[in-house]
Structure formats: C-alpha cells, structure tokens
Amino acid sequence: MPRNEGNIDRALRIIAGLALLALVFVGPQTPWGWIGIVPLVTGLVGFCPLYRLLGINTCAIKS
C-alpha cells in the first residue's frame, strides 16, 4: 500500500479519530464514536482507500 496522505492530513485524521473515540468513553457515551476507528487507522497507516478510488494524493513524497 503506497502512502497517499500527507503529514497534515494524517495528523488531522488521528486527532479526529481520537475525538470521536472519546465520545464512547466520555461525554454523551454514544456508540457512534466507534466510527472514529476509521480515521484513526487510516491516519496511522498513511493510506486511505477512498483517496485511492477518487485519485487523491496529499502525500508530498511519491512512493
């Protein structure tokens, strides 16, 4: 899997994922917070399947 996310994109995904996961444990404690796993994992891995389908690449380094 080649990287298709830049550093800023990855950081924003990790922050958003952690914020959504926090909804499961604190705050309204809604199960919808488990959706935060998706941006968290894609941010940690650096690859987004949807970006691949749409032909988007925010990564500055070509791999």
Side-chain angles (χ1 to χ4, degrees), residues 7-31:
N7 291 334
I8 295 173
D9 192 8
R10 291 179 72 191
L12 290 174
R13 286 172 181 264
I14 292 170
I15 292 168
L18 290 173
L20 286 170
L21 279 174
L23 293 176
V24 175
F25 303 106
V26 295
Q29 296 180 344
T30 176

Side-chain angles (χ1 to χ4, degrees), residues 9-61:
D9 192 8
R10 291 179 72 191
L12 290 174
R13 286 172 181 264
I14 292 170
I15 292 168
L18 290 173
L20 286 170
L21 279 174
L23 293 176
V24 175
F25 303 106
V26 295
Q29 296 180 344
T30 176
W32 285 101
W34 289 111
I35 294 174
I37 291 175
V38 175
L40 181 62
V41 170
T42 59
L44 291 173
V45 174
F47 176 77
C48 178
L50 185 60
Y51 274 15
R52 176 97 182 233
L53 288 173
L54 298 175
I56 299 171
N57 187 351
T58 60
C59 183
I61 301 171

